Amino acid sequence: MNAEQMWSEYKKINNNIKDEYEEWSFGVEADLLVDLVLRGEKTATSSAYQLYEIDNEPLPAVGKYNIILDSENRAICIIQTTKVYVEEFKKVSKEHAFKEGEGDKSLAYWRKCHEEFFTMCMNEVNKEFNEDMKVVCEEFKVVFNI
């Protein structure tokens, strides 16, 4: 099923919503991460604030819908953003790391993996990772899956 088909199915049970959603997949391990979402272990994500500035994109907004895709661009579920805040990398909390649901769910694991990921992202735009960089922390809930 593609994103448009999934949105159409969701609108059958929630027809009071606008046709406003984005479709994307999680980072490097899309299939693993969407599986964590479906199991209820992953209820948060994070992204590099600088990328929003560079692309002149708005930050995620509370109430926003996202169709999450797997590594083959198949629509797997729809999430709705419930909380958004910006924090320095070095100040991201152990609670947020736990909500991201990855690895052993510890802050140490989160920092290690996200330093690697954000370093890669920053390198792609000729910027450098540092622990003072801002991170967009987003929490969400699954509102639809098949």
Side-chain angles (χ1 to χ4, degrees):
M1 172 179 295
N2 66 32
E4 187 176 309
Q5 292 166 326
M6 179 170 274
W7 189 254
S8 178
E9 290 297 313
Y10 182 55
K11 285 190 74 172
K12 288 178 184 177
I13 61 168
N14 191 356
N15 60 2
N16 294 330
I17 57 175
K18 297 179 183 178
D19 281 332
E20 295 178 11
Y21 65 88
E22 289 189 27
E23 57 186 88
W24 47 271
S25 58
F26 286 104
V28 180
E29 298 180 274
D31 296 335
L32 169 67
L33 298 178
V34 76
D35 184 55
L36 291 174
V37 169
L38 292 175
R39 291 189 304 189
E41 294 184 41
K42 182 172 183 61
T43 59
T45 192
S46 54
S47 49
Y49 180 84
Q50 281 186 311
L51 298 180
Y52 292 94
E53 288 183 318
I54 290 168
D55 293 337
N56 198 27
E57 296 264 339
L59 295 181
V62 171
K64 177 180 165 187
Y65 293 97
N66 295 282
I67 298 178
I68 305 303
L69 309 173
D70 68 8
S71 63
E72 296 181 18
N73 290 322
R74 292 180 297 222
I76 304 300
C77 64
I78 300 174
I79 62 173
Q80 185 176 29
T81 303
T82 58
K83 183 177 182 180
V84 178
Y85 60 98
V86 178
E87 188 66 82
E88 290 179 356
F89 179 89
K90 66 185 176 190
K91 292 182 180 176
V92 169
S93 70
K94 64 182 180 182
E95 291 80 14
H96 183 81
F98 184 84
K99 289 176 183 178
E100 288 220 21
E102 299 170 38
D104 65 4
K105 301 181 186 178
S106 70
L107 182 57
Y109 183 89
W110 183 91
R111 284 185 175 156
K112 178 185 178 299
C113 290
H114 284 78
E115 180 174 344
E116 291 171 9
F117 180 68
F118 291 148
T119 296
M120 180 184 70
C121 292
M122 293 293 96
N123 285 343
E124 289 176 4
V125 294
N126 297 316
K127 303 279 183 188
E128 289 187 17
F129 166 84
N130 70 68
E131 290 196 354
D132 294 322
M133 70 178 271
K134 293 178 183 177
V135 174
V136 178
C137 298
E138 183 177 354
E139 296 180 21
F140 57 82
K141 63 182 179 181
V142 175
V143 295
F144 186 78
N145 67 328
I146 295 192

